């Protein structure tokens, strides 16, 4: 069975409640999503490797921990994934970035790929996939399959909200990929939207509706 970590820190829960409100406009929505990304990012990167290096403080030399190993890769599932990407890059400015473009066929709710650009050497690097909504799980499952076929072996999936149906589908397809989320909502509606949710993440980030 796959693992799921719900990052339910009071700051995350509070900011998520503000973000969910239908009156929250795009500028404020992006700001809150950015702040939540920092807090989720803190948790999802908890096991990054460090190594001690000698440094000098104004008072003494010491062995101090620094991030080590190959640079992390952040992969945004377009377009809403970019809403999480900004905060993650504020936290880890040296990360490499990839993009996967998928849209949901409105009839079948299946993911169709229209864009793919990722760093070459995925196999040697930790990879964090970003998509605010784990709803039906179809696009998340397809995006992770695609990234695995490009060579990635150490993957995590980070989302803002998830639905039980999406978690089940994702774990069935990718039990080896841990999921991190700020909340597990009640259910999906007939259009595959998370309820109570936030509505369409892309539209709310970019003010397209
Ligand atoms: N995508 C969204 O943007 N919102 C949902 O609720 C589900 C999928």
């Amino acid at each position: 069975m796959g693992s799921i970590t719900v990052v339910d820190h009071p700051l995350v829960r509070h900011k998520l409640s503000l973000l969910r409100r239908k009156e929250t406009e795009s500028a404020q929505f992006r700001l809150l999503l950015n702040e939540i990304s920092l807090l989720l990012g803190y948790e999802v990167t908890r096991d990054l490797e460090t190594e001690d290096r000698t440094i000098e403080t104004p008072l003494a030399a010491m062995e101090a921990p620094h991030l080590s190993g190959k640079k992390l890769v952040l992969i945004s599932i377009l377009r809403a994934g970019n809403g999480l990407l900004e905060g993650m890059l504020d936290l880890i400015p040296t990360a490499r970035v990839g993009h996967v473009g998928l849209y949901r066929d409105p009839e079948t709710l299946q993911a169709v790929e229209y864009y793919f650009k990722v760093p070459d050497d995925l196999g040697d690097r930790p990879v964090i996939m970003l998509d605010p909504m784990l709803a039906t799980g179809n696009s998340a499952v397809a995006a992770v399959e695609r990234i695995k076929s490009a060579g990635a072996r150490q993957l995590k999936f980070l989302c803002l909200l998830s639905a039980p149906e999406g978690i089940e589908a994702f774990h069935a397809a990718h039990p080896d990929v841990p999921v991190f989320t700020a909340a597990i909502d009640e259910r999906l509606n007939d259009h595959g939207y998370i309820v109570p949710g936030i509505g369409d993440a892309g539209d709310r980030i970019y003010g397209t509706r």
Side-chain angles (χ1 to χ4, degrees):
M1 193 54 191
S3 84
I4 180 141
T5 302
V6 180
V7 183
D8 58 356
H9 189 285
L11 284 173
V12 173
R13 289 165 55 214
H14 176 75
K15 289 173 191 293
L16 178 57
S17 300
L18 299 179
L19 180 137
R20 284 183 191 271
R21 293 180 183 189
K22 63 179 179 193
E23 317 78 59
T24 303
E25 306 241 0
S26 292
Q28 181 69 7
F29 190 94
R30 283 197 297 273
L31 203 67
L32 287 162
L33 187 55
N34 203 56
E35 290 171 0
I36 295 173
S37 313
L38 294 171
L39 297 163
L40 296 177
Y42 175 82
E43 207 46 55
V44 75
T45 55
R46 186 173 277 284
D47 61 354
L48 283 181
E49 284 173 29
T50 60
E51 68 186 10
D52 283 347
R53 289 188 221 145
T54 310
I55 61 159
E56 291 198 20
T57 76
L59 297 182
M62 70 172 283
E63 292 298 300
H66 294 72
L67 289 175
S68 65
K70 290 268 195 179
K71 287 195 179 95
L72 181 77
V73 180
L74 301 170
I75 297 187
S76 166
I77 302 176
L78 296 173
R79 68 181 160 148
N82 283 356
L84 292 175
L85 180 61
E86 232 177 272
M88 289 295 293
L89 277 174
D90 286 346
L91 204 58
I92 317 160
T94 55
R96 301 282 168 87
V97 177
H99 293 90
V100 181
L102 299 168
Y103 69 87
R104 282 207 300 178
D105 184 300
E107 297 295 313
T108 63
L109 303 184
Q110 293 299 312
V112 183
E113 183 179 308
Y114 64 88
Y115 187 78
F116 189 80
K117 186 82 182 169
V118 300
D120 283 341
D121 45 358
L122 287 184
D124 304 331
R125 300 177 184 279
V127 175
I128 302 174
M129 311 273 305
L130 308 172
D131 188 346
M133 310 304 274
L134 182 56
T136 60
N138 291 337
S139 51
V141 166
V144 169
E145 252 161 40
R146 186 70 175 84
I147 294 300
K148 281 183 174 172
S149 73
R153 287 176 290 124
Q154 310 165 57
L155 279 154
K156 290 179 185 167
F157 187 87
L158 178 64
C159 58
L160 176 71
L161 286 187
S162 48
E165 297 90 328
I167 296 167
E168 195 182 329
F170 189 85
H171 278 162
H174 300 294
D176 55 318
V177 180
V179 176
F180 291 75
T181 186
I184 303 174
D185 273 9
E186 217 175 290
R187 63 184 171 86
L188 295 180
N189 69 11
D190 293 344
H191 303 287
Y193 277 82
I194 296 177
V195 179
I198 56 168
D200 188 288
D203 283 342
R204 297 217 52 197
I205 296 166
Y206 298 113
T208 38
R209 185 163 299 170

